[in-house]
Every structure is written in structure tokens, then in C-alpha cells.
Amino acid sequence: MILVVGGAGYIGSHVVKELVETEEVVVLDNLSTGHREAVDSRAIFVKGDLGNVDDVLMVFRSYPIKAVMHFAAYSLVGESVMDPLKYYQNNVASTITLLKVMMKFKVKKFIFSSTAATYGIPDVKLIDETSATTPINPYGRSKLMVEQILGDLAASDGLKYVVLRYFNAAGAHASARIGESHDPETHLIPIVLQQLLGKREKISVFGADYDTPDGTCIRDYIHVTDLAHAHILALQALVAGKKSTEVYNLGNGHGYSVKEVIETCEKVTGVKANVEIADRRAGDPARLVASADKIFSELGWKAERNLEKIIADAWKWHRNQEY
Ligand code: UDP
């Protein structure tokens, strides 16, 4: 049985939907930002908090867990700057609680959701896993700290793990039954689609004076279903003993500017956007684009869905949003 912590959240719920096809799954989530409705009915759901050791112990006592996937974290850069202890408490301290219980029960396979924010402001065009990790905010640091803890536990206790550093997750399940639903929403694609649906008056482009071809920031958007598949491959590699301590980028090697994203949303939906140029948002690097060559050569994974598909699936979800 696979334990998915944070399986009611955006990315976790998409991974659970794939995982239940081949595995028994138990989801532990405190529903602080996740949605009960997002959890596939074939998974067992336990409402509980990673920060509460009794909740975690109860799950390990109740189910024969063989591996853990960990999605339960806060992930807003701006909020992490305002309230760093919230981030270190939840993203680091609670993860230590989980790891302690895993070690106690001798569960030694772990898939960890990390982030491009561990790289900070990269001085390379394509970021690979050997690029320097110098995060510039508490969110990125909290994720990097856990990565380092995992390395130490591999040496001390034989933990086997795969760290997946996500670039910009976006899109929704093709069924449109689950998708991205944050409150407040801060991410570009859902904000644009909400404006196109008339739920927002305008879209603010945070800075048009960056050193990029059209002056707006460039990001590497990746479909959440492609992300989910990478988790399944990583788990299979760990269970088969093919991998023991790996870090992989999850991106597609292709950057799109904020303006290009808005234009693609207009093209896919046929609706004209109302856009204003606003000030830069603190902490935004001009360009974050992954090299995903490593995971392609080692696990055969690559992003299959392009920006248009990401937006088309997100649009279906947003028009029919269920939670
Ligand atoms: N962005 C923007 N307006 C918005 C939200 C985001 O211009 O209302 C920009 C943001 O500055 C960044 C890009 O869109 O350059 C992607 O931001 P998002 O928050 O989606 O993801 P991040 O890259 O911060 O993880």
C-alpha cells in the first residue's frame, strides 16, 4: 500500500488518480488547502495532520505501507517571506515527524515533491540538477532543507528516495473532474482563465521590463498529468531497486513568457483578455526553464502535453469547476 500525504491537494490528487489504477492507496491530508472531493473514491482517505505524530502513527499502524509520497506543503513564495516559521514548521518540522515514523516502521521508500525554487536565480539558460541550489526565499529553503535531510537519512538509515523538482505545474485532469483550486489563487494560468470567464476584472502582468524577448517572465509550464506519470515511474524505479537517491527536474525544457501564456489562453478559448501591466512581483526570477534530460535518459519520462493542451484541460475544468 502507498501512503500519499497531501493527496487531496492539486498535484497529490492527480497522482492518486493514476496510482489507484495499480496500487492500493491511503491518503493522509488535513484538508487545510486540499479538497476531500478531489480524492479518488478508490483510495482510503484519512483526515489527519502530519504535524501530529499520533495521526501519523495511526496510519502506519493501520495500513501496511510500503512507500510514501509527500505532497503536503505550503507553496506560496510571498507568504513564505511574510511568515517563514509557518513554512519551516509545516514543510520541514512536519516532514521530520513523518520521516521519524517511517524509520520506526522501517518504511524506506520516499518520493518527495520539491521545486524549482531550490535553484534561486539561476545563471544558466537551462537549469539541470547540477545547477547551484541557492534559494532566495523561505519556501525554496524549506524544500532544500528537506532534500538535505533525505541525503543524511540515506546515509544513516538506508532511506531510498527520489526528489522531484517541479517547475510550473498547470492544467487539469482530462476528465475535468479534478483540477487546480486555490484560495486565494495566485498562479498565472488559473488567474487568466478566471478573467476570461468574467470572474475577475483584469489580469495584472507583474513586470514587462525583464531582460527577456518581450520583457515578461519566462517559465516552464508542465501538465499536472505529466507530473503524475513521473511520480509513478519514480516509484516503480524505487520499488524495483533501480534507483536509491535521485533528484530530477520535472519540466519540458521549453519556456513561455507571461504574454505568450495569455495569448495562448486567448487562442485556445476564443475569448479576449483584459490585461494591464503592473509592477514586478518580489522574488520573481526572469527565467526559469528546466532541462529534463536526466529523467528522460534514466526513467524514460518526458512531458507529453504542450501549453495548448495544458490550457485546454484547465479551461474545461474552470468552466465546470466542482470544488
Ligand atoms: N504572473 C503575473 N500575473 C499574475 C500571476 C502571475 O504576471 O497574476 C507571473 C509571475 O510574475 C510569474 C509567472 O506569471 O512570472 C508565473 O507565476 P506563477 O505564480 O503562476 O508561478 P511561479 O513561477 O511563481 O511559481
Side-chain angles (χ1 to χ4, degrees), residues 1 3 26-29 44-50 52-65 97-98 101-102 104-105:
M1 191 166 237
L3 170 61
V26 55
V27 168
L28 175 67
D29 198 302
I44 295 166
F45 179 76
V46 178
K47 184 166 188 266
D49 198 314
L50 211 50
N52 179 349
V53 71
D54 292 332
D55 287 359
V56 185
L57 282 169
M58 188 273 286
V59 171
F60 279 79
R61 284 196 190 110
S62 307
Y63 304 102
I65 309 293
T97 302
L98 170 65
V101 175
M102 285 176 60
K104 182 176 158 71
F105 282 80

Side-chain angles (χ1 to χ4, degrees), residues 210-256:
Y210 283 95
D211 183 18
T212 59
D214 68 16
T216 65
C217 288
I218 294 176
R219 295 287 181 274
D220 184 338
Y221 295 88
I222 170 163
H223 198 296
V224 65
T225 299
D226 283 328
L227 280 186
H229 288 156
H231 289 75
I232 308 294
L233 290 175
L235 178 69
Q236 286 168 351
L238 276 187
V239 170
K242 280 201 320 206
K243 290 289 162 198
S244 53
T245 58
E246 289 295 344
V247 178
Y248 295 117
N249 284 344
L250 294 182
N252 59 32
H254 208 88
Y256 291 95

Side-chain angles (χ1 to χ4, degrees), residues 6-18 20 27 29 31 33-43 45 173 175-181 317 322-323:
Y10 171 43
I11 298 172
S13 63
H14 286 77
V15 173
V16 167
K17 222 177 187 37
E18 303 293 325
V20 290
V27 168
D29 198 302
L31 298 180
T33 57
H35 305 271
R36 177 69 184 86
E37 310 90 300
V39 180
D40 192 284
S41 58
R42 288 166 286 180
F45 179 76
H173 194 268
S175 67
R177 300 301 304 273
I178 57 173
E180 191 167 8
S181 176
W317 158 252
E322 296 189 10
Y323 52 82

Side-chain angles (χ1 to χ4, degrees), residues 168 186-188 191 204-206 217 219 221 258 281 284:
N168 287 62
T186 63
H187 295 105
L188 179 63
I191 282 180
S204 301
V205 172
F206 297 144
C217 288
R219 295 287 181 274
Y221 295 88
V258 173
R281 187 173 70 175
D284 272 342

